[in-house]
Amino acid sequence: MAELVITSISSKADRAAFVDLAYRLNAADQNWVPNLRSEEISKFTPGKNPFFEHAKVQLFLARRDGRIVGRISAHIDELALKQPVEQGMGPGTGNWGAIEAEDEDTARALIAAAEDWLRAEGMTRVIAPMNLSVWEEPGIQTLGHDHPPMVMMAHHNAAYQGWIERAGYGLVKTLRTFDLDIRTPFPPLIQRIIASGEKNAKIRIREVELKHFGRDAAIICDILNDAWSDNWGFVPFTPEEIEYTGKALKPLVHPALIRIAEYEGEAVAFMMTLPDLNGVQMRVNKRNGKPSIFGLLKLLLWLRKPKPADMRVPLMGVRKKLQSSRLASQLAFMMIEYIRRCAIAQFDGKRAEIGWVLEDNQGMVAIADAINSKVNREYAIYDKAL
């Protein structure tokens, strides 16, 4: 076998090759979703993705006989280094992610290259995979390979799990997504909790306002950083990142699907729901992430009126001072129910996906169980001493 050569990259051409490899290696997997190539290029480009404003990132390519056969990113997030060690990140902790490889030998060599770079930068521990941050595509898929992911979730070659574990990595956390048939009304107990909240004059569940989208995005970001601040793996979401993400997601934003809960006039909780863009991307995108003119037109028409559309709940949160209270779960059930009704009436939705959710997030797991949702995918996050 020809010698494997791994090189660090920085040029525009190599960055494009880094992105394009994922399309080639996953082209035959009918459950892999080809995101728009332009968005993937932006994700890995300094000056476009604000993650680079607080992180040092190095991309690597593996070549055999001049042919690209693998890729990986290594990164050090300055915000993550400032977090408490008991919450997962902390001083000395680096990450790698975005791994794609033709075979296990290539994957192991890429992981070793990422580890060497992290050591040279003074890191003593690695948590992986992170692509790129915990807010993007954390973990490697370990369950649910038989169906495509929803928007903003990843799908991985099932072999990668074993390759990572045999490279000396131990499981540190499992992330789960929950599938829900939204056409089925919630159990009577949940309906009574919702009805009780509707009678409480102190509670207001409102839609976000597109004309004040910046204001409402800032409110959501503030609640998010407060609500998640004690969670494992938490890294603050910066204003620049919320603006970047908001701009990217704005075509999917429909006020009826994103709610802010107010209690006595204070915004204390939110729930963000998005129509599943992946379903239409699988129909109109070519496997290289470049839709035809006709495909792009169909995509734009769907974005204007996403119907029928299943739903994904990527984020929700309740301010820390209310967590573990009866009010917190009541607000969550009310937001879920209001959005469920709109998803059926306005978007012909049939199912929704909640998550990801940390396996030991007892509050969210209890809510998911109470509304009869079922685990449909899992992602593993590993660690290793360097």
Side-chain angles (χ1 to χ4, degrees), residues 331-351:
L331 295 175
F333 288 134
M334 290 175 73
M335 290 187 292
I336 293 170
E337 172 62 5
Y338 291 179
I339 292 174
R340 185 189 75 85
R341 295 172 189 168
C342 290
I344 296 171
Q346 298 182 30
F347 301 91
D348 287 349
K350 295 177 180 171
R351 55 179 289 264

Side-chain angles (χ1 to χ4, degrees), residues 89-300:
M89 298 296 182
T93 303
N95 311 107
W96 58 255
I99 189 168
E100 297 284 356
E102 287 191 355
D103 54 70
E104 184 170 0
D105 287 344
T106 300
R108 294 282 290 274
L110 285 163
I111 291 171
E115 291 172 350
D116 287 344
W117 182 85
L118 290 170
R119 283 192 200 94
E121 294 291 329
M123 299 297 101
T124 57
R125 176 172 173 258
V126 58
I127 288 183
M130 291 286 175
N131 181 17
L132 290 163
S133 77
V134 72
W135 298 111
E136 294 178 86
E137 294 179 359
I140 206 78
Q141 187 177 11
T142 58
L143 177 73
H145 296 90
D146 59 345
H147 61 278
M150 283 198 174
V151 61
M152 297 176 67
M153 291 300 291
H155 177 84
H156 301 122
N157 184 333
Y160 289 0
Q161 177 185 1
W163 296 355
I164 293 169
E165 292 174 356
R166 286 190 288 273
Y169 284 78
L171 179 67
V172 66
K173 279 296 175 185
T174 298
L175 314 178
R176 292 175 174 149
T177 60
F178 294 81
D179 184 78
L180 175 68
D181 182 347
I182 62 175
R183 297 168 297 180
T184 303
F186 293 147
L189 173 61
I190 305 305
Q191 293 185 41
R192 289 197 294 271
I193 292 172
I194 293 166
S196 172
E198 291 174 331
K199 296 174 184 176
N200 189 339
K202 296 179 180 181
I203 295 175
R204 179 189 179 214
I205 308 293
R206 70 171 178 87
E207 301 177 358
V208 298
E209 298 180 61
L210 287 181
K211 66 179 179 179
H212 298 300
F213 185 70
R215 177 203 67 190
D216 283 349
I219 290 172
I220 288 172
C221 184
D222 183 60
I223 297 173
L224 177 66
N225 280 333
D226 177 65
W228 286 48
S229 59
D230 291 337
N231 284 7
W232 184 93
F234 173 76
V235 177
F237 207 34
T238 68
E240 292 77 15
E241 286 172 317
I242 195 73
E243 182 180 358
Y244 172 79
T245 304
K247 183 178 180 181
L249 295 180
K250 197 166 185 179
L252 292 175
V253 169
H254 295 270
L257 299 176
I258 303 179
R259 302 292 177 116
I260 294 174
E262 297 175 352
Y263 186 73
E264 295 184 327
E266 178 191 3
V268 294
F270 79 94
M271 177 175 166
M272 174 186 291
T273 306
L274 301 173
D276 183 31
L277 178 64
N278 283 6
V280 69
Q281 285 198 134
M282 293 188 75
R283 296 194 299 272
V284 305
N285 271 3
K286 295 180 181 178
R287 300 306 288 176
N288 63 3
K290 303 175 185 177
S292 65
I293 295 297
F294 180 67
L296 184 60
L297 179 61
K298 288 182 69 175
L299 178 61
L300 292 173

